[in-house]
Amino acid sequence: MLEYDAMRQGKTLVVGHRGACGYAPENTMPSFRKGIECGADILELDIHVSLDGELVVMHDSEVDRTTDGTGPIEGKTLKEIKALDAGVKFGPQFAGTKVPTLKELLDWAWNKIPLAIEIKGDPFPTPGVEEKLIKLLREFRILSETMVISFHHESMKKIKEIEPSLATGLLIMGELVDPVQVLKASKSDSLRPGWQYWSKDKVDLIHKKGFIASTWNADTEAVMDRIVPMRIASIGSNFPDRLRKYIDRQGKGI
């Protein structure tokens, strides 16, 4: 697992958040291509399930914010989702950009770059999404190059029970009284709070117990100055080129 290698070496991986969503429409192919151009080690993305059971790459449960459409993803067929423009709201130069399916992204990313796939849900993930995801990852034979992350503890536990070899990560916003116990209960390999919630002592504890410390999103040098010295194994950014340059200047790149 890439993050374990980084932890053991005291290095930090650059994670492109929703691709490179500071530069291109989030969770779209232009954003993912930009993420690679920016030097990301891993690309992060989000998935939901369409009305007809397709795994669709989008952050929100509704299409309103990032496309020219309205309504929930779960209420739309893939054909309806593919008719949406996922780029024009970001900028006219991206007009006509489509919402990708996870399969389309995997076809493109295979043998290029590892992925961190976040299972979304409002308020809970679609039943069966874990099985659908693992089936697809097995078909592409990329279990060792992929991690699955989520704010939903039960999803992380289910993923690990179905496919123990798959790396998993627990997203949180806030502090946990006993993070080690929560990681064990959810069968997660990594803890991934917002950067504000890490301290050096907490990072050291998580790594000492055999888990991975990760975080998001470092977009300014002030944030990088605060968290990179903690030896966090991976850090997300909306501008992965900024983080790449900082990490490399510090000699922390893997």
Side-chain angles (χ1 to χ4, degrees):
M1 296 179 187
L2 276 177
E3 290 185 320
Y4 277 109
D5 291 340
M7 178 190 71
R8 285 191 287 265
Q9 296 176 41
K11 303 291 188 177
T12 300
L13 297 166
V14 175
V15 181
H17 187 232
R18 305 178 201 170
C21 65
Y23 296 114
E26 64 181 61
N27 281 321
T28 65
M29 295 312 302
S31 188
F32 296 126
R33 287 192 289 267
K34 186 66 176 178
I36 287 184
E37 290 175 17
C38 287
D41 297 302
I42 299 169
L43 294 177
E44 185 267 353
L45 60 130
D46 310 281
I47 60 169
H48 288 273
V49 183
S50 69
L51 180 62
D52 46 354
E54 293 289 336
L55 295 177
V56 176
V57 180
M58 189 176 289
H59 178 273
D60 298 2
S61 61
E62 298 187 341
V63 303
D64 303 51
R65 181 176 63 86
T66 57
T67 79
D68 60 349
T70 59
I73 295 173
E74 289 187 352
K76 296 183 183 296
T77 64
L78 180 60
K79 182 178 179 180
E80 291 171 321
I81 292 168
K82 282 294 186 181
L84 302 173
D85 189 322
V88 69
K89 283 190 174 180
F90 191 92
Q93 70 272 34
F94 294 105
T97 299
K98 300 301 179 184
V99 176
T101 64
L102 180 58
K103 184 178 185 302
E104 289 168 339
L105 178 57
L106 296 182
D107 275 327
W108 169 82
W110 188 85
N111 213 28
K112 282 191 183 78
I113 190 167
L115 301 175
I117 302 172
E118 181 180 346
I119 295 175
K120 304 297 287 188
D122 187 15
F124 302 109
T126 302
V129 63
E130 298 89 359
E131 289 87 351
K132 284 179 179 291
L133 174 56
I134 291 174
K135 181 175 183 290
L136 194 56
L137 296 179
R138 285 172 175 168
E139 288 174 3
F140 276 82
R141 300 181 180 180
I142 56 170
L143 292 171
S144 62
E145 294 87 40
T146 308
M147 71 179 78
V148 180
I149 61 179
S150 186
F151 283 95
H152 301 282
H153 298 206
E154 287 295 330
S155 277
M156 292 298 86
K157 184 179 178 183
K158 191 170 185 180
I159 286 285
K160 207 70 168 180
E161 289 171 348
I162 299 170
E163 183 49 71
S165 70
L166 194 55
T168 56
L170 193 64
L171 292 159
I172 61 167
M173 180 53 81
E175 288 190 294
L176 298 171
V177 171
D178 190 342
V180 172
Q181 184 56 40
V182 171
L183 286 168
K184 289 178 178 178
S186 63
K187 300 183 183 294
S188 299
D189 297 302
S190 61
L191 186 65
R192 316 175 85 87
W195 62 264
Q196 303 92 330
Y197 299 100
W198 276 125
S199 67
K200 184 66 166 61
D201 288 344
K202 291 175 184 176
V203 171
D204 290 346
L205 171 66
I206 292 299
H207 286 175
K208 181 180 178 181
K209 295 296 184 179
F211 299 100
I212 296 294
S214 178
T215 196
W216 43 277
N217 272 318
D219 292 338
T220 67
E221 193 152 318
V223 174
M224 297 172 202
D225 284 341
R226 172 172 168 176
I227 63 176
V228 170
M230 296 180 192
R231 298 179 68 178
I232 293 172
S234 70
I235 300 174
S237 181
N238 296 311
F239 303 91
D241 57 335
R242 298 179 186 175
L243 183 57
R244 172 85 279 149
K245 291 174 184 175
Y246 185 97
I247 292 291
D248 290 347
R249 284 201 310 270
Q250 300 292 321
K252 298 288 188 180
I254 196 167

